[in-house]
């Protein structure tokens, strides 16, 4: 299940953070984990995130960190905007996370194209928040239920 989505500026300032279905006491830990995942993201970018020797850098950086029952995946755009998705340790396929990150990137590009938006400021668009929530719940609805394990009585 997707628990959080964040967009971060090149200077590591949060532009947008949304947290779903996480108790308040876990919310702060999740935000700290996502912030610390930026260090891993920076390290991967510094060492080159390429699929092959002549390939262009990859948008999707994969799993960045695991802690406290959460997994954080990341991506970086060519303008150095960072996109983070946190999930619970449940069943979430990497292809789904990749699709979510690409969709969030597209939504961010649409929102940032607003002539009244200042690219360095937090994104306060209600339409963007609504679409992000829709993407997060769409992935959750696609997940098959976990198989029930029957025990012998």
């Amino acid at each position: 299940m997707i628990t959080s989505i964040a967009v971060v500026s090149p200077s590591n300032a949060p532009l947008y953070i949304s947290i779903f279905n996480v108790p308040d006491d876990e919310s702060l830990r999740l935000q700290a984990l996502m912030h610390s995942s930026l260090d891993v993201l920076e390290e991967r970018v510094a060492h080159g995130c390429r699929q092959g020797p002549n390939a262009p850098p990859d948008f999707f950086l994969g799993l960045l960190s695991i802690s406290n029952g959460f997994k954080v995946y990341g991506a970086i755009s060519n303008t150095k905007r960072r996109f983070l998705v946190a999930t619970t340790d449940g069943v979430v396929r990497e292809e789904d996370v990749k699709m979510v990150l690409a969709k969030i990137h597209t939504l961010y590009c649409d929102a940032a194209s607003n002539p009244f938006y200042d690219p360095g400021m937090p994104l306060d668009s209600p339409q963007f928040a609504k679409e992000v929530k829709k993407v997060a719940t769409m992935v959750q609805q696609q997940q098959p239920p976990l198989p029930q394990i029957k025990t012998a009585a």
Side-chain angles (χ1 to χ4, degrees):
M1 170 190 324
I2 293 179
T3 56
S4 183
I5 294 175
V7 179
V8 182
S9 75
S11 62
N12 289 339
L15 299 176
Y16 176 82
I17 296 176
S18 184
I19 297 176
F20 314 103
N21 303 321
V22 175
D24 289 340
D25 59 329
E26 290 288 315
S27 177
L28 192 56
R29 275 190 233 159
L30 178 58
Q31 288 181 38
L33 175 64
M34 292 184 78
H35 187 72
S36 67
S37 296
L38 291 172
D39 294 334
V40 177
L41 188 142
E42 288 293 329
E43 187 176 316
R44 289 198 185 164
V45 170
H47 288 83
C49 47
R50 300 177 185 272
Q51 298 295 330
N54 296 327
D58 193 11
F59 168 76
F60 181 66
L61 299 175
L63 182 63
L64 300 176
S65 61
I66 301 173
S67 180
N68 297 330
F70 297 108
K71 294 179 181 179
V72 178
Y73 296 86
I76 187 166
S77 71
N78 57 355
T79 60
K80 305 292 187 242
R81 299 290 186 270
R82 294 87 188 260
F83 300 89
L84 302 173
V85 170
T87 67
T88 56
D89 279 340
V91 181
V92 176
R93 296 186 321 246
E94 197 165 281
E95 302 89 40
D96 290 339
V97 174
K98 199 179 225 183
M99 183 265 314
V100 167
L101 286 165
K103 183 71 174 167
I104 298 304
H105 178 255
T106 302
L107 291 172
Y108 175 77
C109 289
D110 290 346
S113 296
N114 181 343
F116 299 107
Y117 174 66
D118 181 7
M121 300 302 292
L123 187 58
D124 294 332
S125 167
Q127 181 65 28
F128 179 76
K130 178 182 168 186
E131 293 297 321
V132 165
K133 187 168 183 151
K134 188 188 301 183
V135 169
T137 55
M138 177 185 67
V139 170
Q140 292 169 8
Q141 291 171 351
Q142 287 179 352
Q143 296 301 322
L146 293 174
Q148 297 295 321
I149 300 174
K150 296 183 179 180
T151 56

